[in-house]
Amino acid sequence: MNKKAALFDLDGVLVDTAKFHFLAWKQLADRLGIHFSEQDNEKLKGVSREESLDILLGLGERKYSEAEKLAMAEEKNKSYVKYIQKMDASEILPGVLQTLTSLKSRKIKIGLGSASKNTAIILKNTGLSQYFDVIIDGNIVCNAKPDPEVFIKGAEGLAISSQDCVVFEDSEAGCQAARSAGMYAVGVGKKENLPSANEIIANFKEFKVEALF
Ligand code: B16
Ligand code: MG
């Protein structure tokens, strides 16, 4: 296909932070007396912090004020940050480093497109920062996935046109964002969770760089 750039989602694609998001949301849910399962957590993948909180609170009965919600989002983030502060390179998902190295050796541009506002600390602690030519995260974008803004800004930052970009995403919202941006979406995970992806890989160990780039 001779694509010219690769745009990676962070959480669930390069590193396994979904488990930390789950533990931090679960802590909040338990305190509020809301039942929150790993299945419920699937719906929060790729979704912004504020929207995630709304989904979680929707599983309970009570309504909360904006001020209460702000405090809850901060509470969740505090416990999440405690987990990611302890992260290191061992948290990088299988096959990711080989893929990034192979893309670099082929002179393919590499970008990051994440909804997270905690991108900097995760990239620093795992040593992944060095691979990226552009980093677009939740501190830069105004519109959350499935809006294509995060990937459009990524392509602009790399000066590569959308149709030459491949997006790697573990969330359906992210695959929709990639498709809306006119990009090729590789879903990382299970087909049933990612109907908008152009193709699916279970993980990067089975991804062949030469098939798309
Ligand atoms: P934060 P991604 C997303 O990151 C996560 O998948 C999602 O679960 C999380 O709510 C969102 O980031 C915001 O993260 O609370 O750290 O700002 O998958 O787009 O890399
Ligand atoms: Mg993700």
Side-chain angles (χ1 to χ4, degrees):
M1 272 201 214
N2 290 325
K3 298 286 188 188
K4 299 193 175 100
L7 294 168
F8 291 86
D9 173 54
L10 178 64
D11 293 336
V13 168
L14 300 176
V15 286
D16 183 16
T17 41
K19 61 186 181 207
F20 300 137
H21 278 297
F22 174 68
L23 290 171
W25 282 125
K26 177 100 179 94
Q27 221 168 297
L28 175 70
D30 286 349
R31 185 176 73 67
L32 299 173
I34 295 174
H35 180 76
F36 183 69
S37 67
E38 292 209 43
Q39 195 53 39
D40 296 321
N41 192 55
E42 277 298 311
K43 297 186 204 109
L44 312 190
K45 285 188 179 172
V47 175
S48 71
R49 195 181 306 166
E50 296 71 22
E51 222 181 303
S52 298
L53 177 64
D54 283 338
I55 296 171
L56 185 146
L57 295 178
L59 298 168
E61 313 272 285
R62 262 196 65 184
K63 295 270 171 285
Y64 296 90
S65 70
E66 285 309 310
E68 285 173 310
K69 290 208 283 186
L70 194 66
M72 287 177 198
E74 272 173 26
E75 178 186 334
K76 181 267 171 179
N77 194 53
K78 262 195 192 158
S79 43
Y80 177 65
V81 168
K82 272 192 200 145
Y83 290 116
I84 59 175
Q85 266 166 349
K86 294 185 201 128
M87 281 177 85
D88 59 27
S90 67
E91 307 272 354
I92 299 171
L93 287 165
V96 164
L97 287 178
Q98 291 84 339
T99 301
L100 291 170
T101 307
S102 169
L103 289 168
K104 276 258 169 264
S105 70
R106 284 167 181 261
K107 307 258 184 293
I108 300 297
K109 295 275 182 209
I110 305 177
L112 189 101
S114 170
S116 177
K117 293 190 169 101
N118 293 302
T119 299
I121 173 170
I122 297 170
L123 291 180
K124 181 174 169 279
N125 287 359
T126 54
L128 281 169
S129 316
Q130 52 175 316
Y131 293 97
F132 295 93
D133 300 300
V134 70
I135 292 171
I136 310 291
D137 67 10
N139 298 299
I140 297 175
V141 294
C142 304
N143 304 297
K145 300 167 188 174
D147 190 283
E149 183 187 359
V150 64
F151 296 128
I152 289 173
K153 286 204 163 127
E156 280 170 3
L158 297 172
I160 301 282
S161 63
S162 286
Q163 65 265 29
D164 289 324
C165 294
V166 176
V167 169
F168 295 91
E169 254 295 345
D170 71 318
S171 73
E172 172 57 12
C175 289
Q176 286 172 2
R179 298 296 296 274
S180 304
M183 299 176 184
Y184 187 87
V186 176
V188 185
K190 293 197 178 116
K191 177 92 195 119
E192 59 265 35
N193 295 332
L194 305 165
S196 297
N198 291 96
E199 67 171 77
I200 297 283
I201 55 171
N203 59 61
F204 281 96
K205 281 201 298 193
E206 66 178 48
F207 179 66
K208 301 262 175 295
V209 167
E210 58 277 14
L212 291 180
F213 297 93

